[in-house]
Every structure is written in structure tokens, then in C-alpha cells.
Amino acid sequence: MKGKSILSLIELDPKEVQKILDLAIILKKEAKRGTFRDLLKGKVLAMIFQKPSTRTRVSFDVAMLQLGGHAINLGSSELQLYRGETIEDTARTLSRYVDAVVARVYGHEDVVRLAKASSVPVINGLSDCYHPTQILADLQTLLEVKGRLKGLKVAWIGDGNNVCNTWLIGASLMGINISVATPKDYRPMKEAITNAQRLAKATAARLEIIDDPIKAVKGADCVITDAIVSMGFDQEREKRLGVFIPRYQVNGEIMGRAKSDAIFMHCLPAKRGEEVTDDVIDGSRSVVWDEAENRLHSQKALLCYLLLDEEFISELL
Ligand code: CP
Ligand code: NVA
């Protein structure tokens, strides 16, 4: 898998995801002891951000720093890209300097073009369609809390957005049953559903896309939501709030319908009082801060997986 780009998670097979999660858990434990400080010594990551970011940007930067490498943050207006240089020419140039690129873009096509023209791995740091590094952290969190992934049930309540699309793929890769409840006009992308259905055949994961949040959370081990208004959709704000609230808001009543030991996850940033209420996100079943922390560990693992020899990785596991 050395050298490949990660745009939606579909590039990984279940064994590869499992290895990344195992490595993430080892790196998390070892970080406290200060081991692996030179794992990515001399490696450089370029970070292109077309949109704001707290977790993705900081966790990638810190991941490189803690493993002995370096990250260069390239915000909008700092590259010739924003004066009209093509994505392809930017990719060819960066490939001559750095070992990997992470890019957060508006249109998914931009990160696809970047990856196609790049000779180093490109990691999608969120596009309008997918958010793969978030789902690696979510899977790590679920694994840590529940001790397994296969056969669990996850309920997604809310917008069928980039994070939801990637959850469909992640769940089907790892044999997790997923029930997605969204309003009719806010379903996940067809491409994500089709790919998830194909992957689910190998793992027996059950996928359902429905209207009813109460039905979706029944028997769920984990309830997940995300912003009703994602970045780039601000002009739809009033309309969306009217469609989603109150039915698709994760509140105490919805959590009460899931399993008694169900956890709550959210990729953050949260709009408290919109997709989730304070009592849920701040409640004892919420694991959102561990989930945010795991961005750091799972991205360290992903970077190692993409940049180091497979044999070397196997010795670490
Ligand atoms: N969850 C997530 O990607 O957060 P940021 O937008 O802060 O990077
Ligand atoms: N769906 C959200 C995720 C933010 C991390 C967005 O795209 O804005």
C-alpha cells in the first residue's frame, strides 16, 4: 500500500484498515513514553487548506512533529494555485519537494486531480464528498470502547454528508451494520451507497438508509451525527434547519432509544442546539474528545503506513 492516495477509504481493504487501527493504538500508547520520535525523520508533509480546520490541520502538523518529520501549512492565498496555476502543475511541483500532501477542498474533483498528477500520496483532508481521516479516528474510537468492530450497529442521524458517505464505506469494510436516517432530500451520495453495498457483500455488514431516526437508533451501539450545515452550504442554512430540527436532532430522547451502553460520536465542530443537544454531547455517553484525540494517533498510523516499508510496519505491530 506504500505510496497510494487516500481519497475516500475505498482505497484500503479491511486488513489494511485493521493494521492502521492496530498501529494507531500502539502509537497512542507509546506517545506517552516518547518512543517513535524518529519514525518519520526527514519526511515532509504539505498541507493545503481551502477551508477552515482545527482538528485536521493541527493533528496532522503535530503528528509529523511528534514522529520527527515536518509539516508545511499552505492556506489559501499562499500558493500560486490561487492565482491560477493549475492543480496538476501544483501537484507536480510539490511532488518534487515533499513526501505526502494532505488537501482539504470544496469540490472532491480537486483532490482527485491533485492525486492523479502527484507522484507522492495525497490524503483527502475533507472534501464535499468524503472525509476518510475522520472515519479512521472514529473506527479507532469505536474499537477502543467496544473492543471489536464486526457486528456492531452504528446509527447515523442527520445530513447524508461527506462524513456519512465515508462512514458507509468504513462500516461496510469493517463489517459494522449501519443505519442512516436522513430526510429524503438529504440522502448520502449514490456512489458511496453503491460502493458500500459492494464492500458489504464480503463482510456481511447490513446497510440501511431510512427516514426514521427512532428506527435507526434501535439496537445501536453508537449514535453519530454531524453539522446540519456543512462548510460550503451556508446559503441553505435556514432551509436546512427547518427540515432537520427537531426530528433529526440527537437529544436525550433519541439516545434513550439506543442500547443502554451506546456511545455518542461527532466529528466536530458541533453546533450545539442544532444537530445535538448539550446534554448529549456533554453527557457520560459522549466520546467526542477521545474521538478528536484519535485524529492524531490514526493519522500518525496512516502516514507511517503510506510512507514506510510494509516490513518495517509489520515489525511494529
Ligand atoms: N472533524 C474535523 O475535520 O474537524 P476540523 O474541521 O476542525 O478539521
Ligand atoms: N460535514 C462537515 C464536517 C466538518 C469536519 C463539513 O463538511 O463542514
Side-chain angles (χ1 to χ4, degrees):
M1 104 162 226
K2 191 162 182 272
K4 70 169 125 179
S5 289
I6 306 296
L7 304 185
S8 71
L9 267 201
I10 206 162
E11 303 80 8
L12 300 175
D13 65 31
K15 276 197 185 133
E16 289 174 320
V17 175
Q18 191 58 55
K19 273 190 186 172
I20 291 168
L21 300 181
D22 292 343
L23 185 57
I25 290 169
I26 291 171
L27 292 172
K28 182 174 183 174
K29 204 160 68 190
E30 293 299 323
K32 296 195 179 95
R33 297 186 203 154
T35 7
F36 299 132
R37 259 178 287 194
D38 289 335
L39 219 47
L40 294 181
K41 193 172 178 184
K43 306 279 186 200
V44 180
L45 174 73
M47 308 197 294
I48 301 175
F49 280 88
Q50 291 180 358
K51 299 180 193 175
S53 168
T54 299
R55 281 142 287 267
T56 308
R57 209 185 72 176
V58 178
S59 56
F60 266 111
D61 201 338
V62 173
M64 288 304 286
L65 182 81
Q66 290 184 348
L67 295 180
H70 182 71
I72 305 171
N73 183 38
L74 302 161
S76 32
S77 84
E78 278 175 284
L79 288 168
Q80 295 291 4
L81 179 67
Y82 302 103
R83 286 184 58 250
E85 187 169 17
T86 66
I87 288 176
E88 286 74 14
D89 290 353
T90 305
R92 289 178 193 116
T93 306
L94 289 177
S95 297
R96 300 290 179 109
Y97 303 137
V98 304
D99 300 279
V101 178
V102 58
R104 170 167 287 195
V105 299
Y106 280 96
H108 187 68
E109 189 51 30
D110 281 6
V111 75
V112 172
R113 284 173 58 194
L114 197 67
K116 269 193 191 146
S118 177
S119 55
V120 298
V122 172
I123 301 168
N124 176 7
L126 181 147
S127 67
D128 57 343
C129 299
Y130 298 105
H131 195 5
T133 59
Q134 180 66 52
I135 277 48
L136 287 177
D138 289 6
L139 290 172
Q140 182 189 341
T141 311
L142 197 55
L143 179 60
E144 286 174 345
V145 178
K146 297 290 174 189
R148 69 188 169 108
L149 293 178
K150 200 166 170 56
L152 292 177
K153 178 180 176 184
V154 160
W156 176 278
I157 310 298
D159 190 18
N161 64 12
N162 44 8
V163 179
C164 178
N165 291 331
T166 324
W167 245 109
L168 277 170
I169 300 199
S172 51
L173 274 170
M174 303 314 284
I176 299 168
N177 303 316
I178 183 165
S179 185
V180 173
T182 72
K184 273 206 174 53
D185 293 338
Y186 297 87
R187 296 279 194 246
M189 264 167 57
K190 278 224 168 63
E191 176 192 278
I193 299 173
T194 312
N195 280 325
Q197 283 167 339
R198 181 175 51 76
L199 293 166
K201 283 188 190 137
T203 60
R206 288 194 302 274
L207 317 175
E208 69 173 359
I209 320 279
I210 56 176
D211 292 344
D212 186 358
I214 302 289
K215 184 165 176 239
V217 297
K218 190 164 187 282
D221 299 283
C222 175
V223 178
I224 316 183
T225 189
D226 184 16
I228 293 170
V229 188
S230 281
M231 290 180 276
F233 292 86
D234 291 317
Q235 72 287 359
E236 296 178 17
R237 183 170 178 77
E238 290 315 313
K239 183 178 168 210
R240 282 174 169 261
L241 295 185
V243 172
F244 284 83
I245 302 174
R247 193 176 182 206
Y248 296 91
Q249 180 185 69
V250 178
N251 51 29
E253 152 78 10
I254 293 262
M255 283 305 291
R257 304 287 189 125
K259 274 191 182 166
S260 58
D261 62 351
I263 56 171
F264 171 74
M265 292 211 282
H266 189 311
C267 65
L268 307 176
K271 276 273 187 185
R272 291 158 177 267
E274 292 187 7
E275 74 274 10
V276 61
T277 52
D278 281 335
D279 58 319
V280 170
I281 195 167
D282 296 329
S284 59
R285 299 158 86 178
S286 169
V287 296
V288 297
W289 309 114
D290 294 324
E291 184 185 0
E293 178 187 331
N294 283 338
R295 296 294 304 277
L296 174 64
H297 309 298
S298 54
Q299 284 159 202
K300 278 183 181 172
L302 177 64
L303 288 163
C304 289
Y305 228 85
L306 296 175
L307 299 178
L308 301 176
D309 287 333
E310 229 164 308
E311 274 177 26
F312 182 71
I313 299 283
S314 302
E315 280 170 27
L316 296 178
L317 291 171

